[in-house]
mmCIF file of all heavy atoms in Angstrom:
data_model
loop_
_atom_site.group_PDB
_atom_site.id
_atom_site.type_symbol
_atom_site.label_atom_id
_atom_site.label_comp_id
_atom_site.label_asym_id
_atom_site.label_seq_id
_atom_site.Cartn_x
_atom_site.Cartn_y
_atom_site.Cartn_z
ATOM 1 N N ALA A 1 123.180 90.839 82.188
ATOM 2 C CA ALA A 1 123.481 90.525 80.767
ATOM 3 C C ALA A 1 122.137 90.344 79.978
ATOM 4 O O ALA A 1 122.061 90.713 78.885
ATOM 5 C CB ALA A 1 124.309 89.232 80.714
ATOM 6 N N ILE A 2 121.129 89.674 80.571
ATOM 7 C CA ILE A 2 119.859 89.520 79.970
ATOM 8 C C ILE A 2 119.320 90.819 79.650
ATOM 9 O O ILE A 2 118.874 90.976 78.467
ATOM 10 C CB ILE A 2 118.985 88.685 80.836
ATOM 11 C CG1 ILE A 2 119.448 87.282 81.102
ATOM 12 C CG2 ILE A 2 117.547 88.602 80.324
ATOM 13 C CD1 ILE A 2 118.793 86.574 82.351
ATOM 14 N N ILE A 3 119.237 91.793 80.536
ATOM 15 C CA ILE A 3 118.645 93.058 80.269
ATOM 16 C C ILE A 3 119.337 93.755 79.065
ATOM 17 O O ILE A 3 118.751 94.374 78.191
ATOM 18 C CB ILE A 3 118.762 93.940 81.591
ATOM 19 C CG1 ILE A 3 117.854 93.273 82.679
ATOM 20 C CG2 ILE A 3 118.346 95.393 81.271
ATOM 21 C CD1 ILE A 3 117.911 93.997 83.987
ATOM 22 N N SER A 4 120.717 93.728 79.069
ATOM 23 C CA SER A 4 121.471 94.344 78.005
ATOM 24 C C SER A 4 121.312 93.810 76.644
ATOM 25 O O SER A 4 121.623 94.473 75.696
ATOM 26 C CB SER A 4 122.944 94.579 78.449
ATOM 27 O OG SER A 4 123.506 93.237 78.436
ATOM 28 N N HIS A 5 120.798 92.478 76.606
ATOM 29 C CA HIS A 5 120.739 91.860 75.351
ATOM 30 C C HIS A 5 119.271 91.584 74.926
ATOM 31 O O HIS A 5 119.005 90.659 74.079
ATOM 32 C CB HIS A 5 121.442 90.418 75.356
ATOM 33 C CG HIS A 5 123.042 90.618 75.242
ATOM 34 N ND1 HIS A 5 123.799 90.930 76.387
ATOM 35 C CD2 HIS A 5 123.853 90.571 74.163
ATOM 36 C CE1 HIS A 5 124.931 90.968 76.035
ATOM 37 N NE2 HIS A 5 125.057 90.860 74.728
ATOM 38 N N SER A 6 118.301 92.376 75.501
ATOM 39 C CA SER A 6 116.961 92.098 75.164
ATOM 40 C C SER A 6 116.319 93.358 74.740
ATOM 41 O O SER A 6 116.637 94.446 75.303
ATOM 42 C CB SER A 6 116.255 91.565 76.416
ATOM 43 O OG SER A 6 116.724 90.406 76.812
ATOM 44 N N ASP A 7 115.415 93.350 73.759
ATOM 45 C CA ASP A 7 114.687 94.476 73.244
ATOM 46 C C ASP A 7 113.564 95.012 74.216
ATOM 47 O O ASP A 7 113.387 96.182 74.359
ATOM 48 C CB ASP A 7 114.065 94.249 71.879
ATOM 49 C CG ASP A 7 115.143 94.041 70.771
ATOM 50 O OD1 ASP A 7 116.190 94.608 71.007
ATOM 51 O OD2 ASP A 7 114.800 93.477 69.836
ATOM 52 N N LYS A 8 112.932 93.982 74.834
ATOM 53 C CA LYS A 8 111.889 94.349 75.864
ATOM 54 C C LYS A 8 111.959 93.457 76.985
ATOM 55 O O LYS A 8 112.036 92.203 76.886
ATOM 56 C CB LYS A 8 110.490 94.175 75.189
ATOM 57 C CG LYS A 8 109.416 94.805 76.047
ATOM 58 C CD LYS A 8 108.060 94.818 75.208
ATOM 59 C CE LYS A 8 107.009 95.478 76.020
ATOM 60 N NZ LYS A 8 105.751 95.653 75.282
ATOM 61 N N VAL A 9 112.144 94.059 78.182
ATOM 62 C CA VAL A 9 112.313 93.281 79.406
ATOM 63 C C VAL A 9 111.076 93.303 80.381
ATOM 64 O O VAL A 9 110.616 94.514 80.538
ATOM 65 C CB VAL A 9 113.531 93.807 80.203
ATOM 66 C CG1 VAL A 9 113.700 93.014 81.467
ATOM 67 C CG2 VAL A 9 114.724 93.741 79.406
ATOM 68 N N ILE A 10 110.558 92.197 80.677
ATOM 69 C CA ILE A 10 109.421 92.146 81.609
ATOM 70 C C ILE A 10 109.902 91.605 82.955
ATOM 71 O O ILE A 10 110.450 90.501 83.074
ATOM 72 C CB ILE A 10 108.356 91.309 81.107
ATOM 73 C CG1 ILE A 10 107.881 91.738 79.704
ATOM 74 C CG2 ILE A 10 107.164 91.187 81.994
ATOM 75 C CD1 ILE A 10 106.852 90.883 78.982
ATOM 76 N N LEU A 11 109.661 92.329 84.109
ATOM 77 C CA LEU A 11 109.912 91.938 85.315
ATOM 78 C C LEU A 11 108.560 91.313 85.926
ATOM 79 O O LEU A 11 107.572 92.013 85.979
ATOM 80 C CB LEU A 11 110.464 93.028 86.207
ATOM 81 C CG LEU A 11 110.574 92.689 87.818
ATOM 82 C CD1 LEU A 11 111.658 91.672 88.005
ATOM 83 C CD2 LEU A 11 110.912 94.006 88.528
ATOM 84 N N ALA A 12 108.584 90.084 86.311
ATOM 85 C CA ALA A 12 107.523 89.437 86.926
ATOM 86 C C ALA A 12 107.758 89.131 88.390
ATOM 87 O O ALA A 12 108.629 88.311 88.594
ATOM 88 C CB ALA A 12 107.086 88.099 86.016
ATOM 89 N N SER A 13 107.003 89.640 89.250
ATOM 90 C CA SER A 13 107.270 89.477 90.790
ATOM 91 C C SER A 13 106.031 89.871 91.551
ATOM 92 O O SER A 13 105.340 90.957 91.223
ATOM 93 C CB SER A 13 108.427 90.432 91.104
ATOM 94 O OG SER A 13 108.769 90.356 92.456
ATOM 95 N N ASP A 14 105.777 89.063 92.495
ATOM 96 C CA ASP A 14 104.628 89.315 93.374
ATOM 97 C C ASP A 14 104.995 90.341 94.465
ATOM 98 O O ASP A 14 106.244 90.575 94.702
ATOM 99 C CB ASP A 14 104.020 87.988 93.934
ATOM 100 C CG ASP A 14 104.951 87.385 94.940
ATOM 101 O OD1 ASP A 14 105.062 87.852 96.137
ATOM 102 O OD2 ASP A 14 105.634 86.387 94.601
ATOM 103 N N ILE A 15 104.113 90.942 95.001
ATOM 104 C CA ILE A 15 104.284 92.077 95.916
ATOM 105 C C ILE A 15 105.044 91.647 97.246
ATOM 106 O O ILE A 15 105.500 92.549 97.929
ATOM 107 C CB ILE A 15 102.922 92.744 96.311
ATOM 108 C CG1 ILE A 15 103.180 94.268 96.814
ATOM 109 C CG2 ILE A 15 102.103 91.967 97.315
ATOM 110 C CD1 ILE A 15 103.710 95.088 95.651
ATOM 111 N N SER A 16 105.070 90.360 97.526
ATOM 112 C CA SER A 16 105.892 90.009 98.668
ATOM 113 C C SER A 16 107.298 90.361 98.686
ATOM 114 O O SER A 16 107.982 90.428 99.705
ATOM 115 C CB SER A 16 105.781 88.504 98.931
ATOM 116 O OG SER A 16 106.452 87.703 97.900
ATOM 117 N N LYS A 17 107.825 90.613 97.441
ATOM 118 C CA LYS A 17 109.261 90.998 97.287
ATOM 119 C C LYS A 17 109.577 92.321 97.876
ATOM 120 O O LYS A 17 110.688 92.636 98.125
ATOM 121 C CB LYS A 17 109.650 90.972 95.829
ATOM 122 C CG LYS A 17 109.419 89.640 95.112
ATOM 123 C CD LYS A 17 110.172 88.537 95.726
ATOM 124 C CE LYS A 17 109.840 87.129 95.212
ATOM 125 N NZ LYS A 17 110.242 87.024 93.851
ATOM 126 N N TYR A 18 108.509 93.157 98.246
ATOM 127 C CA TYR A 18 108.639 94.357 98.897
ATOM 128 C C TYR A 18 108.893 94.270 100.273
ATOM 129 O O TYR A 18 109.226 95.152 100.962
ATOM 130 C CB TYR A 18 107.411 95.336 98.611
ATOM 131 C CG TYR A 18 107.469 96.065 97.283
ATOM 132 C CD1 TYR A 18 106.816 95.589 96.135
ATOM 133 C CD2 TYR A 18 108.200 97.173 97.141
ATOM 134 C CE1 TYR A 18 106.888 96.257 95.017
ATOM 135 C CE2 TYR A 18 108.323 97.867 95.892
ATOM 136 C CZ TYR A 18 107.638 97.311 94.846
ATOM 137 O OH TYR A 18 107.690 97.993 93.640
ATOM 138 N N ASP A 19 108.546 93.095 100.853
ATOM 139 C CA ASP A 19 108.748 92.853 102.274
ATOM 140 C C ASP A 19 110.146 92.108 102.535
ATOM 141 O O ASP A 19 110.319 91.668 103.607
ATOM 142 C CB ASP A 19 107.631 92.013 102.842
ATOM 143 C CG ASP A 19 106.271 92.832 102.893
ATOM 144 O OD1 ASP A 19 106.381 94.111 103.182
ATOM 145 O OD2 ASP A 19 105.238 92.216 102.573
ATOM 146 N N ARG A 20 110.933 91.897 101.495
ATOM 147 C CA ARG A 20 112.194 91.103 101.621
ATOM 148 C C ARG A 20 113.336 92.091 101.392
ATOM 149 O O ARG A 20 113.192 93.142 100.694
ATOM 150 C CB ARG A 20 112.198 89.951 100.788
ATOM 151 C CG ARG A 20 111.058 89.036 101.043
ATOM 152 C CD ARG A 20 111.048 87.808 100.112
ATOM 153 N NE ARG A 20 112.161 86.963 100.376
ATOM 154 C CZ ARG A 20 112.701 85.999 99.587
ATOM 155 N NH1 ARG A 20 112.142 85.780 98.371
ATOM 156 N NH2 ARG A 20 113.775 85.287 99.842
ATOM 157 N N LYS A 21 114.469 91.656 101.885
ATOM 158 C CA LYS A 21 115.785 92.370 101.638
ATOM 159 C C LYS A 21 116.678 91.465 100.980
ATOM 160 O O LYS A 21 116.840 90.285 101.369
ATOM 161 C CB LYS A 21 116.290 92.941 103.016
ATOM 162 C CG LYS A 21 115.361 94.062 103.601
ATOM 163 C CD LYS A 21 115.909 94.487 104.831
ATOM 164 C CE LYS A 21 115.021 95.430 105.562
ATOM 165 N NZ LYS A 21 115.672 96.009 106.824
ATOM 166 N N ALA A 22 117.577 91.921 99.981
ATOM 167 C CA ALA A 22 118.638 91.161 99.463
ATOM 168 C C ALA A 22 119.787 92.162 99.254
ATOM 169 O O ALA A 22 119.566 93.399 99.036
ATOM 170 C CB ALA A 22 118.173 90.539 98.137
ATOM 171 N N PRO A 23 120.971 91.663 99.218
ATOM 172 C CA PRO A 23 122.153 92.493 99.181
ATOM 173 C C PRO A 23 122.666 93.005 97.966
ATOM 174 O O PRO A 23 123.542 93.914 97.882
ATOM 175 C CB PRO A 23 123.245 91.670 99.940
ATOM 176 C CG PRO A 23 122.905 90.263 99.555
ATOM 177 C CD PRO A 23 121.352 90.249 99.422
ATOM 178 N N VAL A 24 122.294 92.378 96.807
ATOM 179 C CA VAL A 24 123.021 92.682 95.444
ATOM 180 C C VAL A 24 121.924 93.333 94.522
ATOM 181 O O VAL A 24 120.938 92.795 94.378
ATOM 182 C CB VAL A 24 123.721 91.507 94.861
ATOM 183 C CG1 VAL A 24 124.519 91.812 93.692
ATOM 184 C CG2 VAL A 24 124.484 90.666 95.978
ATOM 185 N N ARG A 25 122.358 94.467 93.946
ATOM 186 C CA ARG A 25 121.406 95.235 93.171
ATOM 187 C C ARG A 25 121.637 94.765 91.605
ATOM 188 O O ARG A 25 122.689 94.774 91.068
ATOM 189 C CB ARG A 25 121.814 96.811 93.188
ATOM 190 C CG ARG A 25 120.783 97.650 92.517
ATOM 191 C CD ARG A 25 121.236 99.129 92.685
ATOM 192 N NE ARG A 25 120.303 100.050 92.173
ATOM 193 C CZ ARG A 25 120.271 100.497 90.910
ATOM 194 N NH1 ARG A 25 121.347 100.167 90.079
ATOM 195 N NH2 ARG A 25 119.419 101.363 90.500
ATOM 196 N N ILE A 26 120.397 94.457 90.974
ATOM 197 C CA ILE A 26 120.413 94.098 89.584
ATOM 198 C C ILE A 26 120.270 95.459 88.840
ATOM 199 O O ILE A 26 120.901 95.678 87.853
ATOM 200 C CB ILE A 26 119.200 93.221 89.262
ATOM 201 C CG1 ILE A 26 119.345 91.876 89.988
ATOM 202 C CG2 ILE A 26 118.977 93.018 87.829
ATOM 203 C CD1 ILE A 26 118.084 91.006 89.932
ATOM 204 N N GLY A 27 119.460 96.313 89.260
ATOM 205 C CA GLY A 27 119.152 97.539 88.615
ATOM 206 C C GLY A 27 117.973 98.241 89.286
ATOM 207 O O GLY A 27 117.734 98.074 90.564
ATOM 208 N N SER A 28 117.096 98.960 88.520
ATOM 209 C CA SER A 28 115.968 99.507 89.021
ATOM 210 C C SER A 28 114.718 99.268 88.189
ATOM 211 O O SER A 28 114.812 98.704 87.133
ATOM 212 C CB SER A 28 116.078 101.096 89.150
ATOM 213 O OG SER A 28 115.804 101.730 87.842
ATOM 214 N N LEU A 29 113.582 99.512 88.708
ATOM 215 C CA LEU A 29 112.337 99.266 87.939
ATOM 216 C C LEU A 29 112.397 100.122 86.711
ATOM 217 O O LEU A 29 111.671 99.763 85.718
ATOM 218 C CB LEU A 29 111.094 99.639 88.813
ATOM 219 C CG LEU A 29 110.766 98.736 89.991
ATOM 220 C CD1 LEU A 29 109.603 99.284 90.758
ATOM 221 C CD2 LEU A 29 110.499 97.383 89.544
ATOM 222 N N GLY A 30 113.148 101.206 86.590
ATOM 223 C CA GLY A 30 113.334 102.025 85.449
ATOM 224 C C GLY A 30 114.032 101.368 84.380
ATOM 225 O O GLY A 30 114.058 101.761 83.200
ATOM 226 N N ASP A 31 114.724 100.260 84.608
ATOM 227 C CA ASP A 31 115.593 99.566 83.623
ATOM 228 C C ASP A 31 114.755 98.538 82.891
ATOM 229 O O ASP A 31 115.242 97.900 81.984
ATOM 230 C CB ASP A 31 116.671 98.852 84.379
ATOM 231 C CG ASP A 31 117.759 99.790 84.954
ATOM 232 O OD1 ASP A 31 117.922 100.909 84.419
ATOM 233 O OD2 ASP A 31 118.253 99.501 86.073
ATOM 234 N N VAL A 32 113.589 98.244 83.323
ATOM 235 C CA VAL A 32 112.632 97.323 82.670
ATOM 236 C C VAL A 32 111.568 98.022 81.912
ATOM 237 O O VAL A 32 111.192 99.149 82.228
ATOM 238 C CB VAL A 32 112.076 96.252 83.594
ATOM 239 C CG1 VAL A 32 113.242 95.529 84.371
ATOM 240 C CG2 VAL A 32 111.099 96.853 84.635
ATOM 241 N N ASP A 33 110.950 97.344 80.924
ATOM 242 C CA ASP A 33 109.830 97.944 80.120
ATOM 243 C C ASP A 33 108.579 97.868 80.732
ATOM 244 O O ASP A 33 107.573 98.600 80.638
ATOM 245 C CB ASP A 33 109.912 97.394 78.703
ATOM 246 C CG ASP A 33 111.189 97.605 77.959
ATOM 247 O OD1 ASP A 33 111.417 98.783 77.510
ATOM 248 O OD2 ASP A 33 112.113 96.698 77.892
ATOM 249 N N MET A 34 108.381 96.593 81.485
ATOM 250 C CA MET A 34 107.035 96.312 81.980
ATOM 251 C C MET A 34 107.301 95.613 83.375
ATOM 252 O O MET A 34 108.207 94.748 83.462
ATOM 253 C CB MET A 34 106.266 95.403 81.078
ATOM 254 C CG MET A 34 104.878 95.044 81.564
ATOM 255 S SD MET A 34 103.987 94.023 80.420
ATOM 256 C CE MET A 34 103.716 95.160 79.109
ATOM 257 N N PHE A 35 106.532 95.979 84.362
ATOM 258 C CA PHE A 35 106.646 95.282 85.584
ATOM 259 C C PHE A 35 105.191 94.724 85.925
ATOM 260 O O PHE A 35 104.154 95.437 85.971
ATOM 261 C CB PHE A 35 106.941 96.250 86.649
ATOM 262 C CG PHE A 35 106.899 95.661 88.168
ATOM 263 C CD1 PHE A 35 107.275 94.413 88.411
ATOM 264 C CD2 PHE A 35 106.674 96.556 89.244
ATOM 265 C CE1 PHE A 35 107.218 93.949 89.674
ATOM 266 C CE2 PHE A 35 106.587 95.998 90.503
ATOM 267 C CZ PHE A 35 106.950 94.625 90.715
ATOM 268 N N ILE A 36 105.085 93.386 85.940
ATOM 269 C CA ILE A 36 103.825 92.723 86.209
ATOM 270 C C ILE A 36 103.870 92.121 87.613
ATOM 271 O O ILE A 36 104.712 91.365 88.053
ATOM 272 C CB ILE A 36 103.535 91.582 85.197
ATOM 273 C CG1 ILE A 36 103.553 92.005 83.818
ATOM 274 C CG2 ILE A 36 102.231 90.899 85.508
ATOM 275 C CD1 ILE A 36 103.499 90.963 82.728
ATOM 276 N N THR A 37 102.845 92.583 88.479
ATOM 277 C CA THR A 37 102.778 92.239 89.861
ATOM 278 C C THR A 37 101.334 92.093 90.265
ATOM 279 O O THR A 37 100.486 92.190 89.438
ATOM 280 C CB THR A 37 103.495 93.433 90.745
ATOM 281 O OG1 THR A 37 103.655 92.959 92.029
ATOM 282 C CG2 THR A 37 102.877 94.809 90.550
ATOM 283 N N ASN A 38 101.069 91.977 91.545
ATOM 284 C CA ASN A 38 99.785 91.696 91.929
ATOM 285 C C ASN A 38 99.203 92.600 93.051
ATOM 286 O O ASN A 38 98.184 92.254 93.694
ATOM 287 C CB ASN A 38 99.657 90.195 92.582
ATOM 288 C CG ASN A 38 100.488 89.998 93.809
ATOM 289 O OD1 ASN A 38 101.575 90.544 93.988
ATOM 290 N ND2 ASN A 38 99.966 89.304 94.763
ATOM 291 N N ALA A 39 99.770 93.801 93.263
ATOM 292 C CA ALA A 39 99.239 94.714 94.165
ATOM 293 C C ALA A 39 99.918 96.119 93.954
ATOM 294 O O ALA A 39 100.951 96.156 93.188
ATOM 295 C CB ALA A 39 99.588 94.370 95.523
ATOM 296 N N PRO A 40 99.245 97.190 94.303
ATOM 297 C CA PRO A 40 99.667 98.611 93.999
ATOM 298 C C PRO A 40 101.142 98.691 94.545
ATOM 299 O O PRO A 40 101.441 98.152 95.559
ATOM 300 C CB PRO A 40 98.746 99.484 94.733
ATOM 301 C CG PRO A 40 97.527 98.662 94.810
ATOM 302 C CD PRO A 40 97.963 97.319 95.043
ATOM 303 N N LEU A 41 101.999 99.567 93.840
ATOM 304 C CA LEU A 41 103.307 99.811 94.215
ATOM 305 C C LEU A 41 103.392 100.919 95.286
ATOM 306 O O LEU A 41 102.625 101.725 95.391
ATOM 307 C CB LEU A 41 104.137 100.252 93.064
ATOM 308 C CG LEU A 41 104.808 99.174 92.137
ATOM 309 C CD1 LEU A 41 103.671 98.389 91.462
ATOM 310 C CD2 LEU A 41 105.635 99.818 91.012
ATOM 311 N N PRO A 42 104.426 100.876 96.218
ATOM 312 C CA PRO A 42 104.728 102.021 96.977
ATOM 313 C C PRO A 42 104.814 103.332 96.112
ATOM 314 O O PRO A 42 105.288 103.300 94.949
ATOM 315 C CB PRO A 42 106.044 101.672 97.752
ATOM 316 C CG PRO A 42 106.099 100.135 97.661
ATOM 317 C CD PRO A 42 105.471 99.813 96.375
ATOM 318 N N GLU A 43 104.597 104.473 96.744
ATOM 319 C CA GLU A 43 104.541 105.639 95.966
ATOM 320 C C GLU A 43 105.895 106.077 95.176
ATOM 321 O O GLU A 43 105.969 106.426 94.108
ATOM 322 C CB GLU A 43 104.200 106.834 96.971
ATOM 323 C CG GLU A 43 104.033 108.163 96.272
ATOM 324 C CD GLU A 43 103.659 109.339 97.231
ATOM 325 O OE1 GLU A 43 103.405 109.046 98.395
ATOM 326 O OE2 GLU A 43 103.557 110.435 96.671
ATOM 327 N N ALA A 44 107.024 105.782 95.967
ATOM 328 C CA ALA A 44 108.309 106.103 95.363
ATOM 329 C C ALA A 44 108.538 105.232 94.149
ATOM 330 O O ALA A 44 108.999 105.717 93.136
ATOM 331 C CB ALA A 44 109.471 105.950 96.327
ATOM 332 N N SER A 45 108.232 103.927 94.263
ATOM 333 C CA SER A 45 108.379 103.036 93.062
ATOM 334 C C SER A 45 107.430 103.367 91.947
ATOM 335 O O SER A 45 107.855 103.376 90.794
ATOM 336 C CB SER A 45 108.195 101.636 93.520
ATOM 337 O OG SER A 45 109.102 101.190 94.404
ATOM 338 N N ARG A 46 106.238 103.786 92.320
ATOM 339 C CA ARG A 46 105.267 104.148 91.293
ATOM 340 C C ARG A 46 105.727 105.462 90.599
ATOM 341 O O ARG A 46 105.606 105.561 89.345
ATOM 342 C CB ARG A 46 103.891 104.394 92.029
ATOM 343 C CG ARG A 46 102.703 104.647 90.935
ATOM 344 C CD ARG A 46 101.415 104.601 91.730
ATOM 345 N NE ARG A 46 101.329 105.714 92.642
ATOM 346 C CZ ARG A 46 101.341 105.483 94.002
ATOM 347 N NH1 ARG A 46 101.282 104.259 94.491
ATOM 348 N NH2 ARG A 46 101.188 106.456 94.755
ATOM 349 N N ASP A 47 106.326 106.397 91.356
ATOM 350 C CA ASP A 47 106.733 107.580 90.613
ATOM 351 C C ASP A 47 107.992 107.280 89.732
ATOM 352 O O ASP A 47 108.090 107.923 88.635
ATOM 353 C CB ASP A 47 107.211 108.660 91.659
ATOM 354 C CG ASP A 47 105.973 109.159 92.484
ATOM 355 O OD1 ASP A 47 104.954 109.056 92.002
ATOM 356 O OD2 ASP A 47 106.243 109.755 93.568
#
């Protein structure tokens, strides 16, 4: 709901989230306008 009611969405997350698993999908990195993190992304996510 937040994403659908916002003009610009920033995802703020440190790279440790790439080492974790969770069962429910919010969306994709393509659904946000900016992703702020602290390490290079895996190639597929970067693409």
Side-chain angles (χ1 to χ4, degrees):
I2 295 164
I3 291 171
S4 67
H5 286 83
S6 301
D7 292 336
K8 188 168 187 176
V9 179
I10 301 173
L11 174 64
S13 179
D14 67 81
I15 202 66
S16 71
K17 302 301 173 66
Y18 277 97
D19 290 326
R20 301 179 68 194
K21 296 178 182 178
V24 190
R25 187 177 185 271
I26 297 171
S28 83
L29 291 176
D31 296 324
V32 304
D33 299 283
M34 181 181 294
F35 177 31
I36 302 178
T37 187
N38 65 319
L41 278 62
E43 183 177 358
S45 295
R46 187 170 62 248
D47 291 345

